Amino acid sequence: MEQNRMTFDGLWEQEELQGLHRRLKREFPTWRRRRNRRRSVVATLAVLVATGAILFSLRPSMPKGYDAVCCNRSGIADSHWAEVAANILTIETL
């Protein structure tokens, strides 16, 4: 009787293992697609964050003042041209 029980237990474990093997074989392609999709999303987010950080660090800052004004017309104050340029830049950024 002990020998039959061992055989039954062995057969039971073998059937369980075969069932698990079939289940894993059936679910593996779905799992692999999800894993690849997750990796793609993480890689895309990493590239976007890196690009955003680089663009943010390279963004030129707005100058507070002007060092010099170059104009072909004499007789008009430099402050006038600086004011005109500031108005044009302000209008374009709005």
Side-chain angles (χ1 to χ4, degrees), residues 26-83:
R26 185 178 62 242
E27 293 176 0
F28 180 72
T30 305
W31 173 82
R32 187 172 38 189
R33 276 193 302 274
R34 277 193 309 234
R35 184 188 65 175
N36 288 343
R37 187 176 306 132
R38 202 174 303 126
R39 282 183 178 177
S40 298
V41 167
V42 168
T44 302
L45 287 175
V47 168
L48 289 174
V49 167
T51 303
I54 289 171
L55 290 176
F56 184 74
S57 68
L58 294 179
R59 187 181 62 180
S61 60
M62 295 296 289
K64 302 273 186 213
Y66 299 94
D67 293 334
V69 175
C70 298
C71 179
N72 290 339
R73 293 184 173 192
S74 60
I76 300 175
D78 289 347
S79 60
H80 168 74
W81 293 117
E83 213 174 286

